[in-house]
């Protein structure tokens, strides 16, 4: 059996990315109910709200779900302690070293996958004892490695060196991407931008429409010479940041005005290059079922012919 499915208990090896503010119970429960693994975010820093969203999941789904702990964004250990006592059984960690989080999480019976942007980071996390890895290629949206190594290359490099279940993230929004990722050694995929343009995502329609309207070259990699480096949709605002070569941290202060208010110039609209492949807002059920069926069709076709 697929190791990710053993670890997560999900029906399908598809994870919904932990997008700040958006990845809460409304979206995560829809993904879990559709057979994927919904993830609750905590990167927003709204600790009490996120705790409430985790507790709310029990009333919305009886299926497995997970929580993301972005290490450098957590102000104290209150969320860690809460997760260890919550009954959550799957956690992804990111944005920092997972070492200090591993022992308490694993002692609580929680499976821990850490998100990595490089082979070096993957090797360190494997040595630290994580249960699996989320491989984040440069195509993905949000916080990124400025080196921009693609999922296509990074996944192969890590699969050669690490014997852990690997989740491919970045450049995947359907069954084609899933089949490619599995051919390269993945046992699951994580999709973010595809689940922004999802009917159960509470984000504003303007944000979803901007993803649908985006071309394959419709994103910028911003702040490559500083921190954080992010991939976002091309807008007038992000064009200015791209030309300047830097992005002020103040840009994030008004991100909810973009996410939920629909003002696409209020902040930066985080999104991956798959925005150029997404043409319609769909439900979580549609996204997952079409991804799985597309994956199976490609696998069947590949099995029927050598070339």
């Amino acid at each position: 059996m697929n190791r990710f499915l053993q670890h997560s208990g999900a029906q399908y090896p598809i994870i919904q990315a932990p997008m700040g503010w958006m990845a809460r119970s409304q979206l995560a429960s829809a993904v879990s109910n559709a057979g994927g693994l919904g993830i609750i975010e905590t990167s927003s820093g709204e600790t009490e709200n996120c705790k409430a969203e985790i507790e709310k999941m029990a009333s919305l789904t009886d299926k497995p779900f997970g929580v993301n702990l972005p290490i450098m964004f957590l102000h104290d250990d209150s969320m860690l302690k809460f997760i260890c006592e919550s009954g959550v059984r799957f956690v992804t960690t990111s944005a920092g070293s997972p070492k200090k989080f591993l022992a308490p999480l694993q002692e609580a019976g929680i499976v821990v996958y850490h998100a990595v942007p490089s082979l070096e980071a993957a090797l360190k996390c494997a040595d630290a004892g994580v249960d699996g890895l989320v491989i984040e290629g440069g195509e993905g949206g949000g916080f990124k490695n400025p080196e921009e190594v693609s999922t296509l290359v990074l996944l192969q490099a890590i699969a050669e060196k690490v014997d852990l279940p690997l989740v491919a993230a970045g450049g995947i929004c359907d069954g084609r991407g899933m089949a490619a990722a599995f051919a390269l050694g993945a046992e699951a995929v994580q999709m973010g931008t595809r689940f922004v343009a999802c009917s159960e995502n509470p984000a504003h329609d303007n944000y979803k429409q901007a993803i649908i309207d985006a071309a394959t070259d419709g994103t910028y990699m911003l702040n490559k010479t500083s921190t954080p480096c992010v991939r976002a949709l091309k807008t007038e605002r992000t064009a200015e940041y791209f030309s300047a070569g830097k992005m002020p941290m103040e840009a994030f202060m008004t991100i909810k005005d973009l996410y939920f208010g629909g003002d696409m110039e209020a902040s930066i609209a985080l999104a991956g290059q798959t925005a150029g492949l997404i043409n319609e807002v769909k439900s979580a059920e549609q996204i997952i079922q079409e991804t799985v069926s597309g994956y199976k069709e490609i696998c069947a076709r590949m099995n029927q012919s050598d070339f």
Side-chain angles (χ1 to χ4, degrees):
M1 186 178 180
N2 175 296
R3 289 180 290 177
F4 168 78
L5 294 180
Q6 289 180 315
H7 280 158
S8 67
Q11 182 179 359
Y12 303 120
I14 300 171
I15 302 178
Q16 157 250 308
M19 302 159 290
W21 288 278
M22 293 178 283
R24 296 195 175 178
S25 60
Q26 179 176 319
L27 175 61
S29 64
V31 172
S32 289
N33 285 331
L37 189 71
I39 302 287
I40 299 290
E41 64 86 19
T42 63
S43 60
S44 61
E46 297 180 353
T47 302
E48 295 307 312
N49 287 342
C50 291
K51 289 179 180 179
E53 290 294 308
I54 293 166
E55 292 176 334
K56 189 176 180 181
M57 287 292 284
S59 66
L60 298 175
T61 183
D62 59 356
K63 301 296 186 355
F65 69 95
V67 175
N68 173 252
L69 296 175
I71 296 160
M72 68 181 292
F73 295 112
L74 300 178
H75 305 302
D76 53 42
D77 62 357
S78 64
M79 183 59 76
L80 174 63
K81 290 180 178 178
F82 174 82
I83 295 301
C84 290
E85 298 170 357
S86 68
V88 169
R89 288 290 169 258
F90 190 96
V91 161
T92 60
T93 52
S94 56
S97 171
K99 284 186 178 180
K100 68 178 182 179
F101 279 47
L102 271 176
L105 288 169
Q106 291 176 333
E107 286 171 7
I110 298 171
V111 172
V112 182
Y113 280 39
H114 190 72
V116 296
S118 68
L119 174 58
E120 179 183 15
L123 294 173
K124 288 180 179 179
C125 290
D127 288 342
V130 298
D131 299 297
L133 296 168
V134 179
I135 313 304
E136 294 190 324
E139 305 98 317
F143 295 84
K144 294 267 84 71
N145 184 341
E147 295 296 334
E148 293 191 68
V149 180
S150 72
T151 304
L152 180 70
V153 172
L154 187 58
L155 186 56
Q156 293 182 76
I158 293 173
E160 285 183 356
K161 302 289 185 180
V162 176
D163 184 21
L164 287 173
L166 307 180
V167 180
I172 301 163
C173 67
D174 56 24
R176 297 170 297 180
M178 185 175 180
F182 272 56
L184 299 176
E187 295 184 48
V189 295
Q190 176 174 285
M191 300 190 294
T193 307
R194 175 64 274 188
F195 282 117
V196 175
C198 174
S199 56
E200 290 90 354
N201 191 311
H204 197 280
D205 286 345
N206 290 354
Y207 187 9
K208 298 177 184 182
Q209 189 62 46
I211 289 172
I212 292 168
D213 292 340
T216 52
D217 62 351
T219 63
Y220 287 124
M221 190 73 96
L222 303 173
N223 225 29
K224 290 187 65 173
T225 59
S226 186
T227 301
C229 175
V230 299
R231 186 178 291 283
L233 291 176
K234 289 182 176 179
T235 63
E236 291 182 11
R237 184 165 184 160
T238 56
E240 291 178 7
Y241 295 155
F242 183 76
S243 297
K246 58 183 179 180
M247 176 186 68
M249 285 301 293
E250 291 75 28
F252 290 101
M253 300 302 292
T254 51
I255 200 162
K256 289 199 286 186
D257 292 335
L258 187 153
Y259 282 179
F260 307 115
D263 182 354
M264 295 305 295
E265 298 296 340
S267 183
I268 53 175
L270 302 179
Q273 290 179 328
T274 55
L277 301 174
I278 296 169
N279 302 308
E280 182 182 354
V281 174
K282 296 181 178 181
S283 69
E285 176 75 20
Q286 284 179 292
I287 291 169
I288 289 175
Q289 288 301 320
E290 290 176 9
T291 298
V292 171
S293 62
Y295 165 82
K296 290 182 176 180
E297 288 171 8
I298 290 170
C299 289
R301 186 171 72 244
M302 296 292 285
N303 285 334
Q304 292 171 359
S305 174
D306 290 334
F307 295 103

